[in-house]
Amino acid sequence: MDQRSANDHADATSSEHVLAMLREHILAGKFAPGERLHQDRLAEMLGVSRTPLRTALATLSQTGLVRYESNRGFRVREFSIAEMKDAFRIRGELEALACRMAAASISHEDIDKLLRLVEEGDRLIACGNLQEEALTPYRQMNVDFHTTILNASGSRWVADFVHQLHSVPLASDRIIMWDSYEIIHRSHDDHHRIAKALADRDAQRAGGIMYEHIAFAGEHLINRLKSHPDEFLRVPVDAEDSEDSRRKSKSRKRKTT
């Protein structure tokens, strides 16, 4: 390999590394929807040069995770409540399908891995409350759990389509609502039941629990967004929700006059 080819290969590898880091930060909610991505600050935060960073941002704009505005730069893409509902519904259907496909042929190694991940989750929430330092390892456990099932399905189509849905950050398996022990405990109990159903080769039960697992997460997150829109992320209000708000506002005015 000549020096020019070596440099091109190094640039490509660097861009892929920056792309992976930046994508994970966005999916994990470290940047809010609509937030401007200042290249100088990002380069300093990630410890990279601007060349691979610009390449990574351009790639993310093509996949829909960020958007480019002329003379204003890159911003994290915003998604409406309706879009997030759709993303959760479709993700639920696809991951339920992955469970049903995996149940027929999942390996003993993958079953053992799922059971180890469930045990790790048990350990992380065993104290009966949510410790801040446990959030990152719990999030990784959750990602590994879902990824293991997607891979065990044997279908690249299903895995790729779910991967695309993660471009809607709040519908990503990286997002964990780490503020209620009861919610986390309930969600992790789903992990137990999904792993057991797969170990029992019960395709319908595994798929049904997975769909409810994702549907519940979506409902909880969207309800939180509607009741506390400024608490953690900025989300544009749908037209139908705006109309509901106007009707409620008029009703309140009538009641007070």
Side-chain angles (χ1 to χ4, degrees):
M1 182 183 294
D2 59 31
Q3 187 60 45
R4 182 175 179 179
S5 297
N7 289 340
D8 289 344
H9 178 72
D11 288 343
T13 302
S14 178
S15 296
E16 291 172 3
H17 177 63
V18 175
L19 174 63
M21 285 196 298
L22 190 53
R23 182 175 182 276
E24 284 301 313
H25 283 323
I26 294 173
L27 292 181
K30 292 187 178 181
F31 302 105
E35 183 173 345
R36 184 179 176 187
L37 298 171
H38 298 274
Q39 294 189 41
D40 289 338
R41 296 178 191 172
L42 280 177
E44 182 179 357
M45 182 185 80
L46 299 175
V48 299
S49 67
R50 291 190 60 173
T51 299
L53 178 62
R54 282 195 297 268
T55 301
L57 286 169
T59 301
L60 289 174
S61 70
Q62 293 171 1
T63 61
L65 196 53
V66 305
R67 56 189 174 86
Y68 177 76
E69 298 175 343
S70 181
N71 300 320
R72 300 184 69 180
F74 292 94
R75 292 182 184 274
V76 178
R77 182 180 168 185
E78 296 173 291
F79 291 89
S80 69
I81 296 291
E83 289 174 314
M84 284 190 287
K85 285 180 179 178
D86 280 347
F88 271 106
R89 182 165 58 246
I90 296 168
R91 183 186 155 204
E93 294 283 1
L94 287 173
E95 294 206 37
L97 174 61
C99 277
R100 293 193 297 271
M101 296 174 72
S105 58
I106 189 168
S107 67
H108 292 296
E109 290 78 12
D110 280 339
I111 291 173
D112 288 343
K113 182 177 181 180
L114 291 176
L115 295 176
R116 287 197 304 272
L117 289 167
V118 167
E119 289 177 358
E120 181 182 355
D122 290 342
R123 178 180 59 79
L124 291 168
I125 63 174
C127 60
N129 56 61
L130 302 176
Q131 302 293 325
E132 184 177 351
E133 61 271 17
L135 171 57
T136 297
Y138 188 90
R139 179 189 291 125
Q140 188 60 54
M141 179 281 300
N142 187 66
V143 170
D144 291 345
F145 185 89
H146 286 267
T147 300
T148 298
I149 295 172
L150 287 172
N151 291 339
S153 75
S155 171
R156 289 308 315 161
W157 288 105
V158 174
D160 286 347
F161 286 142
V162 171
H163 183 77
Q164 290 179 37
L165 287 169
H166 289 172
S167 291
V168 184
L170 294 184
S172 166
D173 55 8
R174 274 74 171 170
I175 293 293
I176 301 292
M177 298 295 293
W178 198 252
D179 62 343
S180 169
Y181 180 82
E182 289 73 20
I183 295 297
I184 295 297
H185 187 273
R186 184 241 188 247
S187 180
H188 190 57
D189 183 61
D190 289 344
H191 292 153
H192 275 273
R193 296 187 297 134
I194 292 167
K196 184 179 185 306
L198 287 172
D200 293 341
R201 312 287 176 174
D202 190 337
Q204 294 306 314
R205 180 166 173 75
I209 298 171
M210 178 61 84
Y211 183 85
E212 286 300 318
H213 174 68
I214 293 173
F216 175 79
E219 290 171 4
H220 177 65
L221 186 142
I222 289 169
N223 287 337
R224 282 290 303 277
L225 282 173
K226 288 182 175 180
S227 60
H228 301 87
D230 300 321
E231 183 176 312
F232 54 103
L233 291 174
R234 301 189 301 276
V235 178
V237 177
D238 297 317
E240 61 183 273
D241 292 329
S242 297
E243 183 61 32
D244 287 342
S245 297
R246 286 193 290 271
R247 284 198 294 267
K248 290 178 182 177
S249 177
K250 288 180 181 178
S251 176
R252 284 194 295 269
K253 288 180 181 179
R254 286 195 295 269
K255 289 179 181 179
T256 56
T257 56

